[in-house]
Amino acid sequence: MKVYALRTPISASLENIAADKSISHRCAIFSLLSDKPSRVKNYLKAEDTLNTLEIVKNLGARIEEKEDELIITPSANLKEPSVVLECGNSGTAMRLFMGFLAASDGFFVLSGDEFLNRRPMARVAKPLISVGAKIDGANGGDHAPLAIRGKKLEYFKFDSKIASAQVKSALILAGLKSSGCELSEPELSRDHTERMLTGMGANLQILPHGVKVEPMNAPLKPLEICVPNDPSSAFFFAVAAAIIPNSHIVLKNMLLNKTRVEAFKILAKMGAQVTFKETSSAYESIGEIEIKHAPLKAVDVNENISWLIDEVPALAIAFANAQGISSVKNAKELRVKESDRIAIMVQGLRKCGLEVEEFEDGFSVKGGEANCAIIDSNGDHRIAMSFAVLGLKCGMVIEKSEFIATSFPNFSGILRQLGASVED
């Protein structure tokens, strides 16, 4: 992808942001917990989430599509598939299915693309194995392909040392489908699983630092949901408006869950004008986010990192356009995402001529004038999109940009809608 610098301010109201990926994955997986059809509008049609739908189909569900609505009808009994369940590039899908299938009768194999199969899975497999699950995989069980011999688990308690929505969700699903469980984590991670399962009738008790899960003694209610737009995807355009002088943007139908809008609040701390307006609430709070440009100042980020895990690459672009030295710390989790996001962002920003310091658990960026550069995204869609946003100021060439399609197929189209010139 080649992005040319914008010559005019951004002024736009966007409704066509990608639907929320985290909620779309969960809609597909959680539909298997009911015995009636789930109806899902605005499901994300990206490679990762379409792979999740294919897995659900291989587990016996029937999927119909009517206009903008998916109807997912589970089978009476989960089907033991005769094929490998392919997760593509999605760590969310693989890790949530690990918990779901660990407590499901049958034998299952999860795999993904070359990048996903290099990502660490022991962080979910070890907790599940410690409570009785049977999981094995490549590299001592740390990498996919993963073989799972599912069975009902005994009641368990687990104290997670990291705040991770994926670890927590896998364990919740395993406990829900078995004999129940009680979980704790050092700080609240993203809580879509708890909200959605509670909305479906699951008996979950939210504790000060965790959740208590009662076993699912009967099928849950089916989902009736319109998936809101993804704030993690929308944040790229929020940063664009914040760094391009005289720009103004309104993001419509946005998920406003407090664990998903922390990056917008940090942008406001840096000086951008950011306002939130709730328009509806069902499983989640939904509304509008408005961003207006203002000169940005440096900020230090070291709290609620689990709420920022997908937005830090784009935040780094805001740092690069702020007055002073900004930093992110306590973010070691970034090293085990689609890429080592700390190392790759540092490399890319240095290529653009910026002063950057790398830490074991984060990095700092001194704001300044960025130069056009050739950036290797290392197959990480969020790295690619972040440098595309920086390209709106100085131009940019991004290698392996095709991986943007895993989460945001119309990203280039929206850049063009904002007035940018883009060559895919």
Side-chain angles (χ1 to χ4, degrees), residues 218-241:
L220 301 184
K221 294 183 293 186
L223 285 161
E224 295 275 350
I225 187 172
C226 179
V227 179
N229 291 338
D230 191 331
S232 300
S233 295
F235 188 64
F236 296 103
F237 305 113
V239 171

Side-chain angles (χ1 to χ4, degrees), residues 128-277:
L128 287 167
I129 291 168
S130 75
V131 300
K134 294 182 178 292
I135 302 174
D136 199 4
N139 193 30
D142 192 29
H143 294 156
L146 297 167
I148 301 171
R149 173 65 68 182
K151 64 171 186 174
K152 187 173 182 178
L153 306 175
E154 298 296 325
Y155 180 87
F156 62 86
K157 292 186 177 182
F158 189 83
D159 179 20
S160 178
K161 303 305 179 187
I162 59 172
S164 166
Q166 294 176 355
V167 174
K168 178 174 63 174
S169 296
L171 289 163
I172 287 174
L173 289 170
L176 185 68
K177 286 173 59 63
S178 296
S179 306
C181 63
E182 187 173 330
L183 311 171
S184 64
E185 57 182 350
E187 65 179 26
L188 175 67
S189 60
R190 290 175 174 177
D191 60 353
H192 304 308
T193 292
E194 298 97 305
R195 289 172 180 266
M196 292 178 69
L197 290 177
T198 299
M200 294 175 72
N203 189 352
L204 273 61
Q205 180 185 353
I206 306 304
L207 306 173
H209 295 285
V211 59
K212 186 175 183 180
V213 181
E214 296 296 330
M216 190 179 77
N217 295 318
L220 301 184
K221 294 183 293 186
L223 285 161
E224 295 275 350
I225 187 172
C226 179
V227 179
N229 291 338
D230 191 331
S232 300
S233 295
F235 188 64
F236 296 103
F237 305 113
V239 171
I243 67 175
I244 304 292
N246 303 313
S247 291
H248 170 225
I249 201 164
V250 178
L251 306 166
K252 302 274 193 176
N253 189 36
M254 299 306 306
L255 177 64
L256 299 182
N257 181 305
K258 71 176 184 179
T259 68
R260 296 295 302 280
V261 296
E262 183 75 1
F264 292 89
K265 293 180 179 180
I266 290 172
L267 206 57
K269 286 181 183 177
M270 297 179 72
Q273 297 179 42
V274 181
T275 56
F276 302 89
K277 178 183 176 183

